[in-house]
Amino acid sequence: MSTPLGKDLLGLEHLSAEQITLILDTAEPLREISERAIKKVPTLRGATVVNLFFEASTRTRISFEFAEKRLSADTVNVATAASSVTKGETLVDTAKNLEAMKIDMVVIRHASSGAAQFLAERIESNVINAGDGMHEHPTQGLLDLLTLRRRFGSLKGRRVCIVGDVLHSRVARSNIWGLTKLGAEVAVCGPRSLLPPAIGEFGVQVFDRVEQAIEWADALNVLRLQLERMTAGYIPSLREYNRVFGISRERLDRAPREIVIMHPGPINRGVELDSEVADGPHSVILDQVTNGVAVRMAVLYLLAGNAPALAEAAKGGDR
Amino acid sequence: MTELRDVLLRGGRLLDPSCQLDGVGDLLIRDGKVEVFGGTIGVPDGAEVIDCAGQVVSPGFIDVHCHLREPGREDVETILTGARAAAAGGFTAVCAMPNTDPVTDNQAAVGFVLKQGRAAGAARVYPIGAISIGQQGERLAEFGEMVHAGAVAVSDDGKPVVSAQLMRTALEYARTFGIPVADHCEEPTLAAGGAMHEGFVSARLGLKGIPAEAEEIMAIRDILLARLTGGHVHLCHMSTKGSVELIRWGKERGISVTAEACPHHLSLTDAMVENYNTNAKMNPPLRTAADVEAVQQAVKDGTIDVIATDHAPHHNDDKQREFSDAPNGIIGLETALAVNVTWLVKSKIISLATLIERMSCAPARLFNLPGGSLRRGSAADITVFDPDQAWTVDPAAFLTKGRNTPYGGRILHGRVGCTLVGGQIVHNRMG
């Protein structure tokens, strides 16, 4: 079935600004469903969604599951430890088996970049990338965009700096594509050992010092420092990272304007972000979580072939 | 033993840079050797005549770098299927890398490869022995016994020789036997976990990259070790602009360094990896357009001595995996000529004569192999090909068991018509 988004949502790089805006516009009315006493509409009744998580995830998986359940889809969760992958089954075989079970959609999280596309090319069902290796995490990018759009009204001309481990971050890539398509200026800031060598070719500014980023930005998207990376020697110590790149209250106090603080979670408190900042008035971290469910509902809704214009009506139940 | 039938190759363009030969004429093969060439030759009684009008008749191509997977992965390739594929690609001889299972690191293993090669009855198969036992990089394999059994070079290809001391010793010891040490240049800590060239494409796709410097650091280390030892280091599958500059530096100083490049590094860039195409995954990885251009120029000016295929068949099931988990390598024996003609000759970077020098004469010279010449009395290892013929690459039609090629569906120019080894026709598409 042809939808305004195509068959799958694999990343933001290949979506147009119009498609991204459509998802955000669709998410707005669906967001209200989560505010109700009975948080459920029958929009996806009869549809089967498989959440295929080959990599540990808590918040993304739960967020997708809430989105699916609130739209009344039947969901099945498959986690690596419980799957045939531990018996040596390949992703191709997994895909063929899923297809044979006549499912409608797959949400896939995988440690290998390109795994979502790999699956999408082999099955008829809609595939939603819930994070593939170091490549993209499009629904995280979309929820970040929705959060900023709700805060600023428009992203055009707004300055957003992504701080931290950009090299290994799928969130950073989705953010860069999404933000630039919607007209924001984007910068990155972090130790050079945690930035891709070709980062300049993404059309973003690079700040070596976090003070410069704070001076420049309207919003900071602070990435989780993946502690497991530290054993690979990308930075000398967490302590030094916090001293040089950590977002503290003192640093923010010197900003020329109010800065919105974002974080995809989970936060390493006291490493990339101090608790006073994470819990402070500029933080929109919990809004991001709320918006995540709405964005994922919108993606499921649109990929299932529902008319974008009817998203408002979808709130009401059967059409 | 049956007597060999005479063969007359009639009216082809005889092209052999080893003896400055370039002209239309006949070539007569008798007793497996080139008897006479040039002008018009009468047909001896009982001779087979092959009409070569419009075709180039050249010394047979010699591939100094291929992987035939036997022993160990006969499901992927055997010496028989590899040798047949080689003949179909115009190769009259191939050198089989030792990274088989078990590793070709002793005289018995070398003898096995030779025996299977002879039984195949297609292209000649020359074993390359391992540098270190089991390619573990710890203890030298028995070069002398392997050479005595028929090995033509040593290499730990597939893996770098991490220890500079072991590489030094290998280069010194190889001098005793007059063989090249074929070198897989890869600094392992820089390349660790890498799945493609490090650059913008890898950053976009979220794949860990292998920087050009991973190759270049080992290339210069081993050029310097060749200077130290006087040994002959042959640098395999060179892929970067920096590497060819380093080779040039070494050659200018009289260091015994030779090098090869592969058709894929002379034609494709890392953009091929778009969409996580595992048929574009290889090691060293496809590089940038600037690297491709630099390697092409190095082939032109002789900095790169040899074009080798690095033919690396893999089973489809192994390639049909997530990109970072898929094995490295592509097949190359049956596309090498056409890729080289299409990207190097048709685009006027090199002449056909230079291509034959890089694919036939130089490999024979550097690895001390028969062939590489149409001189009278030389072994009649000959390739007949049409440099202009266009054809569409259909992997299903290949004789190799491998189907892993990034050229599938492409229209290429240059097609092998006939391959003769020792005067016997081992492949004939000319009817």
Side-chain angles (χ1 to χ4, degrees):
Chain A
M1 190 185 310
S2 176
T3 76
L5 301 183
K7 182 173 90 67
D8 313 298
L9 179 71
L10 303 179
L12 298 190
E13 183 183 358
H14 299 296
L15 287 191
S16 66
E18 291 70 30
Q19 288 171 310
I20 292 172
T21 302
L22 172 66
I23 298 169
L24 302 184
D25 290 347
T26 306
E28 287 285 359
L30 297 178
R31 194 175 182 277
E32 189 265 333
I33 295 168
S34 299
E35 308 288 338
R36 299 178 183 174
I38 298 173
K39 304 173 181 61
K40 206 170 182 77
V41 293
T43 310
L44 291 188
R45 195 164 56 196
T48 310
V49 184
V50 177
N51 298 315
L52 197 55
F53 278 66
F54 290 102
E55 198 184 54
S57 163
T58 304
R59 69 190 60 214
T60 301
R61 187 179 55 76
I62 291 173
S63 181
F64 265 108
E65 207 174 331
F66 274 134
E68 291 150 8
K69 288 186 190 307
R70 284 172 193 180
L71 293 174
S72 298
D74 294 319
T75 66
V76 178
N77 293 319
V78 183
T80 313
S83 81
S84 302
V85 171
T86 52
K87 301 177 198 166
E89 184 172 277
T90 66
L91 193 51
V92 175
D93 288 335
T94 304
K96 285 179 184 163
N97 279 286
L98 289 172
E99 196 71 340
M101 287 185 244
K102 310 299 177 194
I103 56 156
D104 299 294
M105 293 189 183
V106 179
V107 177
I108 178 173
R109 157 73 62 94
H110 200 286
S112 292
S113 302
Q117 181 176 327
F118 182 93
L119 189 66
E121 287 168 356
R122 286 160 178 80
I123 62 175
E124 296 284 317
S125 315
N126 309 107
V127 173
I128 300 171
N129 181 6
D132 62 328
M134 305 187 297
H135 178 222
E136 284 223 43
H137 192 350
T139 56
Q140 178 71 42
L142 289 163
L143 73 88
D144 290 342
L145 293 172
L146 183 62
T147 305
L148 287 168
R149 199 177 77 163
R150 289 178 67 84
R151 186 78 174 204
F152 293 131
S154 164
L155 287 172
K156 204 158 184 61
R158 291 292 178 176
R159 294 170 158 188
V160 182
C161 184
I162 302 164
V163 182
D165 182 0
V166 176
L167 179 65
H168 299 103
S169 174
R170 49 196 171 212
V171 176
R173 284 164 179 77
S174 289
N175 264 261
I176 290 170
W177 300 125
L179 288 163
T180 51
K181 281 170 197 278
L182 295 193
E185 288 182 52
V186 182
V188 297
C189 175
R192 289 281 175 163
S193 53
L194 289 176
L195 300 181
I199 188 67
E201 293 178 54
F202 282 87
V204 301
Q205 285 199 62
V206 180
F207 294 117
D208 286 312
R209 300 189 57 78
V210 78
E211 291 83 359
Q212 296 170 305
I214 289 170
E215 168 88 21
W216 176 85
D218 295 311
L220 297 181
N221 195 353
V222 186
L223 301 178
R224 185 173 79 88
L225 199 63
Q226 299 183 37
L227 302 184
E228 62 274 19
R229 307 282 181 211
M230 299 316 112
T231 54
Y234 288 94
I235 57 169
S237 69
L238 298 179
R239 178 179 169 278
E240 174 156 309
Y241 183 86
N242 180 256
R243 292 282 178 93
V244 182
F245 292 100
I247 307 298
S248 64
R249 174 77 182 279
E250 293 72 36
R251 282 191 165 127
L252 280 186
D253 283 347
R254 283 184 229 118
R257 66 188 77 79
E258 269 194 9
I259 296 186
V260 172
I261 299 295
M262 307 171 78
H263 193 294
I267 305 166
N268 298 306
R269 289 173 181 265
V271 180
E272 68 264 2
L273 207 52
D274 285 0
S275 280
E276 328 179 59
V277 177
D279 304 329
H282 305 315
S283 166
V284 294
I285 294 169
L286 294 176
D287 294 338
Q288 289 175 269
V289 177
T290 304
N291 291 333
V293 178
V295 153
R296 287 166 181 131
M297 288 169 78
V299 170
L300 292 160
Y301 174 87
L302 292 169
L303 285 182
N306 291 295
L310 296 178
E312 182 69 35
K315 293 193 303 180
D318 277 329
R319 298 190 302 277
Chain B
M1 193 173 154
T2 55
E3 201 171 305
L4 281 174
R5 198 175 167 195
D6 294 349
V7 179
L8 180 69
L9 303 178
R10 171 162 276 173
R13 178 183 169 192
L14 305 174
L15 187 53
D16 177 10
S18 79
C19 49
Q20 284 81 49
L21 174 65
D22 186 359
V24 173
D26 298 347
L27 185 146
L28 178 65
I29 299 161
R30 178 163 283 165
D31 297 330
K33 295 193 162 108
V34 177
E35 169 99 354
V36 59
F37 62 79
T40 304
I41 301 168
V43 183
D45 285 348
E48 181 167 0
V49 179
I50 299 175
D51 180 7
C52 295
Q55 308 272 330
V56 171
V57 176
S58 80
F61 307 145
I62 298 172
D63 186 12
V64 297
H65 188 147
C66 71
H67 300 270
L68 300 183
R69 306 300 187 209
E70 185 182 356
R73 282 303 302 266
E74 290 83 353
D75 59 322
V76 172
E77 191 83 290
T78 62
I79 290 171
L80 174 68
T81 58
R84 285 180 178 166
F91 289 94
T92 52
V94 294
C95 299
M97 282 294 177
N99 58 337
T100 46
D101 183 13
V103 170
T104 308
D105 62 1
N106 60 74
Q107 61 171 333
V110 166
F112 170 77
V113 174
L114 276 174
K115 177 171 156 283
Q116 295 297 86
R118 276 194 292 269
R124 302 178 197 269
V125 178
Y126 298 112
I128 293 180
I131 292 173
S132 63
I133 294 172
Q135 293 192 311
Q136 294 298 304
E138 289 165 7
R139 291 174 54 208
L140 282 191
E142 292 173 335
F143 293 9
E145 293 222 314
M146 290 194 293
V147 169
H148 182 69
V152 297
V154 288
S155 179
D156 271 357
D157 185 58
K159 292 178 176 179
V161 177
V162 177
S163 161
Q165 175 58 35
L166 187 77
M167 191 62 176
R168 173 192 175 150
T169 311
L171 284 162
E172 285 168 336
Y173 192 59
R175 286 188 67 181
T176 315
F177 309 101
I179 55 167
V181 177
D183 189 11
H184 176 111
C185 295
E186 182 181 1
E187 204 296 311
T189 60
L190 276 179
M196 65 172 297
H197 174 67
E198 180 177 295
F200 181 52
V201 181
S202 69
R204 271 184 43 233
L205 295 178
L207 293 170
K208 187 161 183 340
I210 302 172
E213 285 75 5
E215 175 176 306
E216 292 156 7
I217 286 168
M218 280 303 217
I220 192 61
R221 184 198 78 172
D222 293 340
I223 290 169
L224 293 174
L225 289 175
R227 182 174 71 177
L228 175 68
T229 60
H232 174 188
V233 68
H234 175 77
L235 305 180
C236 297
H237 41 53
M238 291 287 98
S239 69
T240 80
K241 185 170 188 263
S243 290
V244 298
E245 286 166 1
L246 295 168
I247 297 161
R248 208 167 274 138
W249 179 90
K251 287 190 165 182
E252 282 166 6
R253 280 153 187 78
I255 299 169
S256 185
V257 52
T258 58
E260 71 191 32
C262 304
H264 42 274
H265 292 129
L266 292 162
S267 56
L268 306 175
T269 69
D270 59 348
M272 277 297 290
V273 180
E274 288 288 357
N275 299 319
Y276 302 96
N277 176 9
T278 55
N279 281 333
K281 186 180 181 192
M282 52 203 80
N283 187 21
L286 296 174
R287 305 286 189 182
T288 67
D291 291 308
V292 171
E293 191 185 338
V295 180
Q296 288 175 340
Q297 288 304 314
V299 168
K300 179 182 180 181
D301 69 19
T303 303
I304 299 283
D305 306 82
V306 169
I307 301 177
T309 67
D310 197 4
H311 174 78
H314 289 291
H315 197 283
N316 200 36
D317 289 346
D318 295 329
K319 274 288 191 184
Q320 290 282 310
R321 298 181 63 86
E322 301 86 310
F323 192 88
S324 51
D325 295 340
N328 288 307
I330 62 165
I331 52 173
L333 288 168
E334 287 163 271
T335 51
L337 172 74
V339 171
N340 293 335
V341 166
T342 304
W343 270 274
L344 299 175
V345 178
K346 291 286 175 196
S347 57
K348 300 195 184 307
I349 292 164
I350 61 171
S351 65
L352 261 184
T354 303
L355 181 61
I356 292 164
E357 158 66 19
R358 304 286 181 261
M359 290 184 73
S360 177
C361 313
R365 198 167 59 242
L366 300 181
F367 278 59
N368 304 308
L369 305 175
S373 178
L374 297 180
R375 279 193 197 90
R376 285 181 188 85
S378 58
D381 290 4
I382 294 172
T383 303
V384 180
F385 65 95
D386 179 348
D388 298 316
Q389 188 182 337
W391 60 288
T392 304
V393 178
D394 173 15
F398 286 151
L399 297 186
T400 170
K401 290 188 179 183
R403 299 288 175 261
N404 46 315
T405 173
Y407 300 105
R410 291 214 191 204
I411 296 172
L412 304 180
H413 292 268
R415 193 105 215 243
V416 172
C418 186
T419 309
L420 298 99
V421 174
Q424 286 195 303
I425 298 167
V426 291
H427 183 80
N428 192 357
R429 203 179 270 120
M430 294 167 72

